[in-house]
Amino acid sequence: MKKAIFFDIDGTLINCVNDITDITPRVKKSIKALQDKGNYIFIATGRPYAFISKKLLEFGFDGFVLTNGAQVIVGNEVIYKQQINKDSIKKMVGNFEKFEMQYILQGDIYSYMKKQYKELYSYYDSFSISREYIKSEYNIDNVDVFKMEMLCRNKEAVEYCLSLQNEEFDCNHNISGNIFEIYSKKNTKASGIMRALAHLNITIENSYAFGDGKNDIEMLEVVGCGIAMGNASDEVKSHAKKITCEVDNDGVAVGIERYINLKL
């Protein structure tokens, strides 16, 4: 019976903080071995397409769950995508600028960020994110947005971002330092995974996921076997069925060897 395995990127497959910007050889070998046995391997990430490195795009994954489930790609086919309401985007962007926030609009292929947002560009540079698919010239009326990220530089900006999780905008948010993510409550990594499984006719019992962050909790719960990285918080680990080693110690490979290979 074929299985589907979903991998988060940051803190799971790579760790830019410790200069692990590509999948390590041991992890590559373990993932490829799964694929060679006829199983499907997926990326499941909060990142948009523009933030996926060329190395990951060329690795040979069978599909991608992007922008926290707002886009799902199986093979070369986009099986699902749902952008945030344009009127909501315009209203929020107006307030971002009012509170002097730097922001990026994350689309299906390209993402959009004004060239004067040097602090936010520098932040993404620290994660080795290429600027190839980031456009600084755009018309907001012609852009489909699946997720937004904002740099909050004052208390008023933070308070505004926290207020966005309400009925008017129907958004979830994720916070990392002074970086906020905004995305639709209708989509999560878990919902994206369920769409991919249905498309491939794979049962939940034959699905696995590796993750380390709070936005991985739902996918760790929904799959047949959710595997938390050793570097995950105790909260995230509490939602997983299994725990593996840290990303810096080839945790994905260890998890595959311990919890998946024995069932193949």
Side-chain angles (χ1 to χ4, degrees), residues 51 102-104 111-138 151 179:
F51 286 12
Q102 297 182 13
Y103 61 89
I104 186 167
S111 288
Y112 307 88
M113 180 164 59
K114 294 181 178 181
K115 60 184 177 182
Q116 64 264 36
Y117 291 165
K118 298 187 184 301
E119 289 176 70
L120 200 50
Y121 274 109
S122 178
Y123 172 78
Y124 293 129
D125 287 343
S126 73
F127 286 90
S128 301
I129 290 172
S130 170
R131 300 187 183 188
E132 181 179 359
Y133 291 102
I134 299 178
K135 288 187 174 183
S136 60
E137 300 293 334
Y138 61 93
L151 171 64
I179 300 292

Side-chain angles (χ1 to χ4, degrees), residues 84-257:
I84 302 172
N85 177 271
K86 284 187 183 293
D87 290 336
S88 296
I89 292 292
K90 288 182 180 180
K91 187 170 183 178
M92 283 188 275
V93 163
N95 284 313
F96 295 164
E97 295 179 351
K98 173 184 175 183
F99 293 114
E100 300 180 343
M101 297 159 61
Q102 297 182 13
Y103 61 89
I104 186 167
L105 308 177
Q106 299 178 353
D108 50 3
I109 299 297
Y110 290 95
S111 288
Y112 307 88
M113 180 164 59
K114 294 181 178 181
K115 60 184 177 182
Q116 64 264 36
Y117 291 165
K118 298 187 184 301
E119 289 176 70
L120 200 50
Y121 274 109
S122 178
Y123 172 78
Y124 293 129
D125 287 343
S126 73
F127 286 90
S128 301
I129 290 172
S130 170
R131 300 187 183 188
E132 181 179 359
Y133 291 102
I134 299 178
K135 288 187 174 183
S136 60
E137 300 293 334
Y138 61 93
N139 182 338
I140 196 169
D141 291 319
N142 299 328
V143 172
D144 287 335
V145 179
F146 298 91
K147 189 164 74 76
M148 295 176 287
E149 293 185 4
M150 303 82 70
L151 171 64
C152 296
R153 299 188 291 177
N154 55 60
K155 181 181 178 181
E156 291 76 16
V158 171
E159 290 176 349
Y160 174 69
C161 286
L162 291 173
S163 76
L164 290 173
Q165 199 170 14
N166 57 38
E167 293 182 5
E168 179 183 1
F169 293 114
D170 199 27
C171 290
N172 276 327
H173 67 250
N174 190 38
I175 308 168
S176 178
N178 60 351
I179 300 292
F180 277 68
E181 296 180 345
I182 292 291
Y183 52 96
S184 172
K185 286 182 180 178
K186 298 174 184 176
N187 299 300
T188 64
K189 290 186 183 185
S191 66
I193 285 173
M194 294 302 290
R195 290 184 171 96
L197 293 177
H199 185 83
L200 294 170
N201 197 28
I202 292 177
T203 63
I204 292 176
E205 290 74 19
N206 287 309
S207 64
Y208 299 77
F210 288 79
D212 73 295
K214 289 189 71 172
N215 67 339
D216 295 321
I217 286 176
E218 289 174 301
M219 80 167 182
L220 293 175
E221 289 183 326
V222 77
V223 295
C225 182
I227 303 168
M229 303 297 292
N231 46 279
S233 67
D234 289 341
E235 178 188 5
V236 173
K237 289 176 180 176
S238 71
H239 294 274
K241 289 187 172 66
K242 303 291 183 181
I243 311 295
T244 186
C245 297
E246 295 80 4
V247 59
D248 294 355
N249 294 316
D250 293 327
V252 165
V254 173
I256 290 172
E257 293 160 8

Side-chain angles (χ1 to χ4, degrees), residues 55-103:
K55 291 176 182 178
L56 288 178
L57 290 174
E58 294 178 347
F59 181 79
F61 285 96
D62 297 297
F64 297 86
V65 176
L66 301 173
T67 51
N68 285 331
Q71 300 163 274
V72 183
I73 301 169
V74 178
N76 294 318
E77 181 184 358
V78 178
I79 66 165
Y80 175 81
K81 65 178 183 177
Q82 184 180 63
Q83 64 267 33
I84 302 172
N85 177 271
K86 284 187 183 293
D87 290 336
S88 296
I89 292 292
K90 288 182 180 180
K91 187 170 183 178
M92 283 188 275
V93 163
N95 284 313
F96 295 164
E97 295 179 351
K98 173 184 175 183
F99 293 114
E100 300 180 343
M101 297 159 61
Q102 297 182 13
Y103 61 89

Side-chain angles (χ1 to χ4, degrees), residues 10-35:
D10 300 289
T12 300
L13 288 178
I14 65 174
N15 184 5
C16 294
V17 174
N18 288 347
D19 293 324
I20 302 175
T21 58
D22 189 20
I23 307 173
T24 63
R26 181 182 176 188
V27 173
K28 285 182 179 178
K29 184 177 179 180
S30 295
I31 293 175
K32 283 294 187 183
L34 291 174
Q35 197 175 36

